[in-house]
Amino acid sequence: MTSYTINRIHAVSVDAPKLAYVPNNLNPNTLVDVLRRLNLMVPTGLAVAASSGGSLRASGHAYTIREVDAALARTELGIGDRLKIKAAMDRNGILKQ
């Protein structure tokens, strides 16, 4: 990786504001915003599917449980909010073993 690529990746992950709470209604747009705030890389196809109102499953991208757990471990969210995020990801078909 070049230093240019590393700086761009760093810029993408640093700019998102921290997640302080999880909204009750995690529709696809809100879920993508939550994933960005968790500093998870959101592929363009996933963001487009959410903004067009389509199925997130159709984007072809899924996060592993380990990846999501690592992102959630860096937050101060309670267990209920963590489970709410995982349940929404599972409902939308973007959480895999």
Side-chain angles (χ1 to χ4, degrees):
M1 249 192 243
T2 65
S3 61
Y4 174 76
T5 305
I6 292 171
N7 287 337
R8 291 200 36 117
I9 291 171
H10 180 70
V12 169
S13 65
V14 170
D15 289 341
K18 297 295 179 195
L19 185 64
Y21 72 97
V22 177
N24 288 328
N25 182 15
L26 283 173
N27 60 33
N29 280 326
T30 308
L31 182 57
V32 167
D33 183 52
V34 166
L35 294 174
R36 283 190 179 122
R37 289 173 182 252
L38 288 173
N39 287 332
L40 289 170
M41 298 301 284
V42 177
T44 306
L46 193 64
V48 168
S51 65
S52 67
S55 170
L56 297 184
R57 183 178 293 118
S59 72
H61 182 78
Y63 297 93
T64 63
I65 292 175
R66 180 174 289 170
E67 187 179 8
V68 174
D69 283 341
L72 289 170
R74 293 187 299 261
T75 68
E76 296 179 8
L77 293 175
I79 189 71
D81 286 337
R82 293 173 189 224
L83 292 174
K84 197 184 312 181
I85 291 169
K86 287 183 181 178
M89 291 177 75
D90 187 49
R91 275 193 312 272
N92 285 285
I94 59 171
L95 187 64
K96 65 181 178 181
Q97 295 290 337

